[in-house]
Amino acid sequence: MKYRNPTLPEGINTSKNHPLREFLLLSLGALALVSILVVTLGYFGGQLSRWLVSIETENEWAERWMEPYEDNETTPPLRSYLDGIGDKMQVALTLPEGIRIQLIYNNDDTVNAYATLGGRITLYRGLLEKIPHENALAMLIAHEIAHIESRDPIVSIGSSVGILTALSLLLSSTDISPLQETGLLTQLAFSRDMEEDADTAALQAVADVYGHVSGADGLFRIIQAEHSENDSDEPPAFLSTHPLDEKRIEAIKHIAQQQGWRLDLPTTPLPAQFKAWLNSPAVPQP
């Protein structure tokens, strides 16, 4: 038997599709798989962390990682007043057993507040200076306590760990130190649903304590005014993870109408010395 080397037809190994088109399809497919992996691990990492991480473990993490953020700038009158508001809001909310709320005052002009691990809530002087009355302050503190009630901080961290795990697998890296270095353990990102749920729970707490919700929207009017003052237009709702300020204000009105809560009653004034307390020399806490 003779073996021959036949002449192959021209173009037999050439794809009929343009190579750039094939490259684009493969790239899009790989990007889709990466996105699905990141989103899936991020979502399930967040949801599972709520059930897998105990309160005791969360408190241990807080003690280990939150030390640089402990409060050492509060004057005694301010500390007493803030803790009094926090105590009233805690009674109106249902905290997981073992979590103790700790309000931390940060003497910085940042207009912000956030809840993090172990029941810790940081309140910035920049925001407190703009608070018009006690009702808005109560709404602020109740909102942050509501995040802790739902264990949103640990869910946010679990989601971040899930995303970092997905990226580590894709990049063949096991280093998750960016979790600490980028501040994910302190200033956490909550989803729009988390924010809306916290608003609703806080509004209920304010109504329970004060008998009405007059002035509860003052917190969001501050944020709205801050955006206007800094010419920082809010992104469209579908690009934002947080409810927009105006929508949150309207939601308060809608919930109040549904529940029959008054919005037109006098608000409780802040203590006359409140702003002086904010700017008094710090007294280190023991």
Side-chain angles (χ1 to χ4, degrees):
M1 178 181 294
K2 290 185 177 181
Y3 291 94
R4 295 185 303 164
N5 186 15
T7 302
L8 297 176
E10 186 174 350
I12 191 172
N13 290 322
T14 303
S15 172
K16 296 181 181 180
N17 298 321
H18 195 283
L20 289 179
R21 182 173 181 271
E22 291 186 348
F23 175 76
L24 179 61
L25 290 175
L26 289 173
S27 298
L28 290 175
L31 181 60
L33 289 175
V34 169
S35 300
I36 291 172
L37 178 62
V38 169
V39 171
T40 300
L41 286 181
Y43 175 78
F44 284 106
Q47 296 305 312
L48 287 175
S49 62
R50 181 184 277 122
W51 309 110
L52 296 180
V53 179
S54 67
I55 301 294
E56 291 76 14
T57 300
E58 180 180 337
N59 288 333
E60 289 175 5
W61 289 353
E63 292 294 334
R64 186 186 312 168
W65 290 320
M66 299 296 117
E67 184 177 353
Y69 306 94
E70 294 298 325
D71 187 337
N72 62 356
E73 302 178 278
T74 315
T75 58
L78 178 61
R79 161 61 46 218
S80 177
Y81 181 64
L82 292 177
D83 284 346
I85 300 294
D87 290 343
K88 289 191 291 187
M89 294 301 105
Q90 288 182 67
V91 171
L93 292 160
T94 306
L95 288 171
E97 185 176 353
I99 284 188
R100 180 178 64 87
I101 296 299
Q102 180 180 347
L103 298 178
I104 299 170
Y105 175 65
N106 189 313
N107 190 22
D108 186 88
D109 60 4
T110 302
V111 182
N112 194 19
Y114 64 86
T116 188
L117 294 181
R120 286 159 169 78
I121 296 172
T122 295
L123 306 171
Y124 285 88
R125 173 175 54 80
L127 177 55
L128 295 185
E129 285 181 329
K130 296 178 180 293
I131 295 291
H133 40 65
E134 185 176 291
N135 303 73
L137 177 60
M139 182 69 182
L140 167 63
I141 293 175
H143 174 91
E144 300 304 337
I145 293 176
H147 277 307
I148 294 170
E149 178 187 30
S150 300
R151 301 200 70 196
D152 290 341
I154 199 65
V155 171
S156 179
I157 286 179
S159 179
S160 298
V161 170
I163 291 171
L164 285 172
T165 300
L167 295 177
S168 296
L169 291 173
L170 294 169
L171 300 175
S172 300
S173 171
T174 58
D175 181 16
I176 62 169
S177 60
L179 182 63
Q180 297 180 52
E181 295 171 359
T182 58
L184 290 177
L185 291 175
T186 54
Q187 300 192 56
L188 307 175
F190 300 136
S191 71
R192 186 185 305 175
D193 287 342
M194 289 177 177
E195 292 292 343
E196 290 176 346
D197 290 344
D199 286 350
T200 301
L203 198 63
Q204 177 70 63
V206 170
D208 290 345
V209 171
Y210 292 90
H212 61 84
V213 293
S214 299
D217 61 352
L219 171 63
F220 307 117
R221 295 193 185 279
I222 292 170
I223 300 172
Q224 191 177 52
E226 186 71 11
H227 286 150
S228 299
E229 182 179 334
N230 295 324
D231 296 324
S232 56
D233 293 336
E234 290 186 305
F238 61 87
L239 293 179
S240 174
T241 57
H242 288 51
L244 302 186
D245 300 333
E246 190 59 42
K247 289 186 178 296
R248 296 173 91 167
I249 293 171
E250 290 302 317
I252 286 177
K253 294 179 181 177
H254 179 68
I255 295 172
Q257 290 173 352
Q258 282 187 323
Q259 299 294 329
W261 296 330
R262 296 284 297 273
L263 284 162
D264 56 350
L265 295 177
T267 56
T268 303
L270 293 165
Q273 307 90 345
F274 183 71
K275 288 192 176 180
W277 293 342
L278 296 176
N279 293 283
S280 296
V283 176
Q285 301 297 303

